[in-house]
Amino acid sequence: MAEIKCPHCGKVFQVDESGYAQILQQVRDHVLEEELKKREEEMRRAKEQDLEIARMEQEKVHADELAVKEKSFSDKIAEQEKALAEATRELEQLNTEKELELERLSAAKDKEIEQLKAQLANSENEKKLAVTEAVQAKTQELADKNTAYIELQGKFDAEVAKLQGEITSKSSEAELKEKSLKEHYAELLKEKDEQIDYYKDFKARQSTKMVGESLEQHCLNEFNAIRMTAFPNAYFDKDNDARTGSKGDFIFREADEEGVEYISIMFEMKNEMDTTATKHKNEDFFKELDKDRNEKGCEYAVLVSLLESDSELYNNGIVDVSYKYPKMYVIRPQFFIPMITLLRNAARNSLQYQRELQIVKNQQLDILHFEDNMNDFKDKFGRNYRIASEKFQTAIDEIDKTIDHLEKTKKALLSSENNLRLANDKAQDLSIKKLTKNAPSVAAMFEEIEE
């Protein structure tokens, strides 16, 4: 038994080991609650500090990037100003040199004029002689110029003849190229007509079901023929997922070495027999193709079609129908591989931007994961705190019940003590006379014994 003194009333009462252990547990729970509150406050402060540090680091990164851009811009401006100053200096230097040259020529001219004036003043004969010599020199100069002119005329005639020969040769070569191009395009047109005739004959010999399947098999064979050389890492297979109620024919996907997908195409192949009574149009399948593309998460949609075989629009090549549905094209079967190559090469050019976008998305996911982990920790901590609080309240209630039980036990013990005192008083007051008060024979026996 242990004694416990009440801090309020000063009473001392005894409790058994289980009650004492419960009181100790109550104290421990109280200390634990204070420690949990302290730890929660410390973690809250640490989280605020981490968020503040992350924000400051992000601001620092933005500031560094801005400083780098400003420095680059300032360097470019400085280089341009330096180049402008250099050009200005060179222009001023040229102007100075030009003015000096003009002054020098002007001085030389003035000096020559003075010399000529002096010569004329000295002798008239010298003047006539000079005039004669000048006339002779002029005559000789004219003769030389005439000879040079004749030579230039001969060279000019030879050059003209040479150019005329080259023009004739170029004209013949152009005629040959034109003839070759005509023959080439005539051959292409012939091959195209033969291919059209082949498809018409091929469709005429097939059932309605085989017509559609043959175009799909043709495209699959075309792709498999160059798969390992041109598209070794690409995914190309039939769309067999019809959980949404519809499906396309083929799906093409390709990703880089890091697993970032940069191109995806939903293909639909459409064909029909020429003897079919109800002729379909390509537009009849745009809506369903766009629906399949969106449900399967593809970026592009391509309809490989042999419908409307007489349409000049669809026979000219790749037709962009993005004005009706985004990133949708209609092609003939001969443009199947070129279409994949065209879209894939265009997507590869933007691969770097997609990688940067993926990095930003991963960073955002990391932030979301961090927040999710923090919220999960807060939820679990709150749950444990709530359970601990409930246990603590339960312990307090049990202690109160124990105190009430001890009070009742104390009252019972006090009552028992009073009864024992009364019993003792009665035992102390007991005598033979009182015991034999109503028993005369017993009293007589005791009197005989005493005698």
Side-chain angles (χ1 to χ4, degrees):
M1 300 293 288
E3 292 185 352
I4 296 178
K5 183 178 181 181
C6 180
H8 298 288
C9 62
K11 292 182 178 181
V12 177
F13 55 91
Q14 295 181 345
V15 294
D16 55 5
E17 293 181 358
S18 62
Y20 186 73
Q22 290 178 353
I23 294 174
L24 287 178
Q25 184 64 34
Q26 176 186 357
V27 175
R28 290 194 190 97
D29 292 341
H30 181 71
V31 174
L32 177 61
E33 180 184 8
E34 293 181 352
E35 184 67 21
L36 288 174
K37 290 182 178 179
K38 182 178 179 182
R39 291 292 178 84
E40 183 181 7
E41 182 66 21
E42 290 177 354
M43 294 184 69
R44 184 184 63 79
R45 293 178 181 175
K47 178 184 176 183
E48 292 177 354
Q49 291 178 359
D50 292 340
L51 292 176
E52 183 65 21
I53 291 172
R55 185 184 63 79
M56 293 175 65
E57 290 179 353
Q58 189 68 21
E59 291 179 354
K60 183 179 178 182
V61 170
H62 288 312
D64 293 342
E65 292 178 354
L66 183 61
V68 170
K69 292 182 180 178
E70 290 179 352
K71 185 177 182 302
S72 176
F73 185 69
S74 301
D75 293 341
K76 289 182 180 178
I77 292 176
E79 290 177 359
Q80 293 178 357
E81 291 179 349
K82 183 177 179 181
L84 181 61
E86 184 68 20
T88 304
R89 185 181 64 78
E90 292 179 357
L91 182 61
E92 291 177 352
Q93 184 177 358
L94 289 175
N95 290 333
T96 303
E97 292 177 356
K98 183 177 180 182
E99 291 176 357
L100 292 174
E101 183 66 20
L102 289 174
E103 291 176 358
R104 186 182 65 78
L105 292 174
S106 178
K109 181 180 179 182
D110 294 339
K111 184 177 180 181
E112 185 178 358
I113 290 172
E114 292 295 332
Q115 290 177 355
L116 289 173
K117 286 181 179 180
Q119 291 177 1
L120 289 173
N122 289 335
S123 175
E124 184 68 24
N125 293 329
E126 291 181 357
K127 179 179 178 182
K128 290 180 180 180
L129 181 61
V131 170
T132 302
E133 291 177 353
V135 169
Q136 292 177 353
K138 192 67 174 177
T139 303
Q140 184 64 35
E141 182 180 357
L142 289 173
D144 294 339
K145 287 184 177 181
N146 190 24
T147 303
Y149 175 75
I150 292 171
E151 292 178 355
L152 288 174
Q153 184 67 31
K155 291 182 179 179
F156 177 76
D157 293 339
E159 189 70 23
V160 168
K162 181 181 179 181
L163 291 175
Q164 287 179 349
E166 291 181 356
I167 290 172
T168 303
S169 176
K170 293 288 185 182
S171 178
S172 300
E173 185 178 353
E175 290 178 356
L176 290 174
K177 287 185 177 180
E178 182 180 1
K179 183 179 179 181
S180 176
L181 288 174
K182 287 182 178 179
E183 292 177 354
H184 175 68
Y185 284 112
E187 186 68 23
L188 291 178
L189 184 60
K190 181 180 178 182
E191 291 179 358
K192 182 179 178 181
D193 293 338
E194 290 177 353
Q195 190 174 17
I196 292 174
D197 294 338
Y198 167 76
Y199 282 118
K200 287 183 177 179
D201 180 66
F202 185 63
K203 290 191 295 182
R205 290 185 286 105
Q206 290 180 315
S207 65
T208 303
K209 183 174 184 297
M210 292 177 65
V211 166
E213 292 178 351
S214 63
L215 181 57
E216 296 177 13
Q217 188 63 39
H218 167 75
C219 294
L220 181 60
N221 293 337
E222 287 286 324
F223 185 85
N224 288 335
I226 62 170
R227 179 193 288 265
M228 296 310 299
T229 55
F231 309 101
N233 300 322
Y235 168 87
F236 183 78
D237 205 348
K238 289 187 66 66
D239 180 17
N240 296 319
D241 185 4
R243 290 176 296 178
T244 58
S246 63
K247 61 184 181 67
D249 288 331
F250 288 95
I251 294 178
F252 174 86
R253 299 183 188 274
E254 189 166 3
D256 63 357
E257 296 79 4
E258 299 176 358
V260 178
E261 183 181 293
Y262 59 87
I263 179 67
S264 58
I265 309 173
M266 170 65 72
F267 284 100
E268 181 75 18
M269 285 69 176
K270 290 299 177 184
N271 192 8
E272 66 182 1
M273 299 179 64
D274 293 334
T275 57
T276 304
T278 303
K279 297 293 184 181
H280 289 92
K281 294 184 177 181
N282 292 317
E283 295 183 3
D284 298 341
F285 303 97
F286 289 170
K287 183 176 180 181
E288 188 69 18
L289 177 57
D290 184 67
K291 176 175 175 291
D292 294 336
R293 181 259 303 272
N294 293 326
E295 289 177 349
K296 304 305 166 54
C298 294
E299 183 179 2
Y300 295 96
V302 177
L303 177 64
V304 184
S305 171
L306 286 173
L307 306 180
E308 301 182 59
S309 59
D310 297 331
S311 173
E312 295 183 1
L313 173 64
Y314 296 113
N315 289 335
N316 285 333
I318 298 173
V319 180
D320 186 354
V321 293
S322 299
Y323 58 90
K324 288 191 174 182
Y325 296 94
K327 296 185 178 181
M328 182 177 291
Y329 302 90
V330 181
I331 61 174
R332 294 305 187 193
Q334 60 268 28
F335 297 105
F336 174 66
I337 296 299
M339 187 66 193
I340 297 178
T341 305
L342 179 65
L343 295 178
R344 177 227 200 178
N345 292 339
R348 286 175 70 91
N349 295 331
S350 62
L351 182 59
Q352 182 62 30
Y353 300 103
Q354 294 183 7
R355 288 176 178 172
E356 295 177 358
L357 180 61
Q358 187 65 32
I359 291 173
V360 173
K361 289 182 178 179
N362 291 335
Q363 291 175 351
Q364 293 178 349
L365 287 175
D366 291 340
I367 295 174
L368 292 175
H369 291 162
F370 174 78
E371 292 180 352
D372 292 340
N373 293 335
M374 182 62 69
N375 293 330
D376 183 62
F377 172 77
K378 289 172 63 178
D379 294 338
K380 292 180 179 179
F381 185 84
R383 177 176 174 275
N384 293 334
Y385 176 77
R386 185 179 67 257
I387 294 174
S389 298
E390 293 175 354
K391 295 291 185 181
F392 181 74
Q393 186 63 38
T394 303
I396 292 176
D397 295 339
E398 292 295 329
I399 291 173
D400 291 338
K401 292 179 181 179
T402 302
I403 292 173
D404 293 339
H405 179 69
L406 292 173
E407 289 291 339
K408 293 178 180 179
T409 303
K410 179 182 177 182
K411 292 179 179 179
L413 290 173
L414 292 176
S415 176
S416 176
E417 182 183 2
N418 187 39
N419 291 326
L420 290 173
R421 182 181 58 80
L422 294 175
N424 185 52
D425 292 341
K426 291 180 179 180
Q428 292 296 329
D429 193 36
L430 183 63
S431 62
I432 296 175
K433 183 178 181 181
K434 289 182 178 180
L435 289 175
T436 58
K437 179 178 181 181
N438 297 322
S441 58
V442 177
M445 290 175 62
F446 276 103
E447 286 179 357
E448 291 179 357
I449 292 171
E450 289 179 356
E451 291 177 356

